[in-house]
Amino acid sequence: MPTPLPLIAVTMGDGAGIGPEVVVAALLDDAVLTRCHPVVIGDAPRLREAARVLGLDCEIAAVDHPRDAEFTPGRVNVVDLGLLPADLPWGELSRLAGDAAYAYIRRAAELAVAGEVHAICTAPLNKEALHAAGHLYPGHTELLAHLTGTEEVSMMLSTEKVKVIHVTTHIGLIDAVNRIEPGLVERTVRRGHEAMVRAGTPNPVIGVCGINPHAGENGLFGYGEEDEKIAPALETLRTDGIDARGPLPADTAFFLASRGDYDLIVAMYHDQGHGPVKVLGIEAGVNLTVGLPVIRTSVDHGTAFDIAGTGTAEAGSMVEALRQAAGMATVPVTPAA
């Protein structure tokens, strides 16, 4: 009996951005359809318009629930929430699109928590549009934590060469340094270790960046943050058998990871981790939220208003995000009667 494919809720993202285009293109990709059963949570008319600008001949089929979807070549299933106006402009900030993007995520989270889908994969939302609609979250990571009742989660970026998890994300640099403390570092590393094991690396080697240049260089730079905020966490982790090494100079850690010395890098703040990953190739990067009670992956790019509606958006990151979601999802086995 063949292994059942995981059912994945794919949120359409901000309808004024490239989300509808990358979703349609990815869901028609054979590499996706052989690994999972994706169902969009979004607006069917917007997906039809995206297919038109992409020049794709496909069926956009509205369904009431993911379980009602049929998976045949050339068909894109969508739970149609009907929230966007027909004349929504491409590439322009819209409060309505921000509110709709929130609704798509909320519905997907409800389905995932209830076990009615096996993972969530998200197209990009626009933070300014989200805020204009009254949903004051820094991004998907924090929003999904709220919707699933999760106190603390971590952002992980994954590419073929480098994987990085962040101790802090969407806060200012001064606030990030103040927030970092041994308990947070330890919990972040543990979440990263668990994610790597789940993804098939049983004994990951984890490199942990310092905060200051050269990881402080024995007190030459900074005020002893590495010894105070990071080193105690690493001692505890190593005692528990987790191979966490550091604190490492961030300017060399990513190079060493790219050649295979480390399976995962722990970045202390947003740009420390995002910059190197995006240089390696934003089109193939995937964003994962680690620590949720559900699987969630996402593209590692924004709404790209400058090219939205032109049919030129690349769907590679969405294809990869769906592939990784399918790889981590667990489909419950129904006992034989």
Side-chain angles (χ1 to χ4, degrees):
M1 181 176 179
T3 303
L5 296 179
L7 188 60
I8 298 180
V10 184
T11 59
M12 196 179 78
D14 191 299
I18 63 172
E21 294 166 82
V22 298
V23 164
V24 169
L27 266 60
L28 295 174
D29 192 299
D30 289 340
V32 169
L33 298 176
T34 57
R35 291 183 170 91
C36 65
H37 284 159
V39 178
V40 185
I41 312 297
D43 271 56
R46 196 60 168 180
L47 294 173
R48 293 188 184 104
E49 176 62 14
R52 186 192 67 78
V53 300
L54 288 166
L56 295 174
D57 182 15
C58 62
E59 178 190 6
I60 307 296
V63 296
D64 292 330
H65 190 279
R67 63 173 167 262
D68 301 324
E70 298 177 10
F71 299 95
T72 56
R75 175 180 167 121
V76 174
N77 296 281
V78 54
V79 175
D80 182 11
L81 300 193
L83 298 175
L84 297 179
D87 60 350
L88 179 74
W90 291 102
E92 294 183 16
L93 187 75
S94 166
R95 179 187 63 79
L96 291 174
D99 192 48
Y102 170 83
Y104 307 150
I105 299 161
R106 183 179 61 193
R107 178 66 65 86
E110 291 169 350
L111 290 166
V113 169
E116 294 177 329
V117 297
H118 305 115
I120 300 170
C121 186
T122 59
L125 52 72
N126 184 283
K127 296 178 181 66
E128 190 176 351
L130 189 71
H131 289 191
H135 307 297
L136 305 181
Y137 300 92
H140 270 119
T141 302
E142 298 81 3
L143 174 53
L144 281 163
H146 169 74
L147 291 171
T148 59
T150 308
E151 185 174 342
E152 188 176 272
V153 296
S154 297
M155 177 188 293
M156 178 185 278
L157 302 181
S158 175
T159 70
E160 184 178 352
K161 285 190 173 183
V162 172
K163 293 175 175 57
V164 55
I165 191 168
H166 296 71
V167 175
T168 66
T169 50
H170 296 123
I171 56 175
L173 185 54
I174 293 174
D175 293 332
V177 174
N178 289 334
R179 183 173 295 184
I180 297 166
E181 49 86 20
L184 179 58
V185 173
E186 180 186 340
R187 293 190 300 274
T188 302
V189 175
R190 289 187 188 278
R191 281 190 286 270
H193 180 270
E194 181 182 353
M196 293 299 296
V197 171
R198 183 169 189 166
T201 304
N203 298 296
V205 179
I206 302 173
V208 182
C209 292
I211 297 171
N212 295 296
H214 299 204
E217 197 151 318
N218 298 316
L220 183 62
F221 305 121
Y223 299 92
E225 288 88 353
E226 281 73 20
D227 288 340
E228 175 190 347
K229 295 171 176 286
I230 302 174
L234 301 188
E235 292 177 12
T236 300
L237 291 161
R238 287 193 287 264
T239 298
D240 288 348
I242 294 176
D243 192 352
R245 306 178 186 183
L248 304 172
D251 60 352
T252 56
F254 289 92
F255 163 73
L256 295 175
S258 71
R259 75 178 189 185
D261 292 20
Y262 298 104
D263 300 302
L264 175 68
I265 293 292
V266 180
M268 291 295 125
Y269 52 89
H270 184 281
D271 286 11
Q272 188 182 63
H274 275 61
V277 168
K278 292 188 176 182
V279 166
L280 287 171
I282 190 171
E283 72 283 350
V286 174
N287 184 327
L288 300 88
T289 304
V290 181
L292 292 172
V294 300
I295 301 298
R296 180 260 172 167
T297 66
S298 180
V299 295
D300 186 30
H301 59 70
T303 49
F305 278 174
D306 57 326
I307 62 169
T310 66
T312 59
E314 292 287 337
S317 184
M318 178 57 78
V319 170
E320 180 63 15
L322 283 161
R323 186 190 70 80
Q324 293 202 31
M328 291 186 289
T330 300
V331 182
V333 178
T334 303

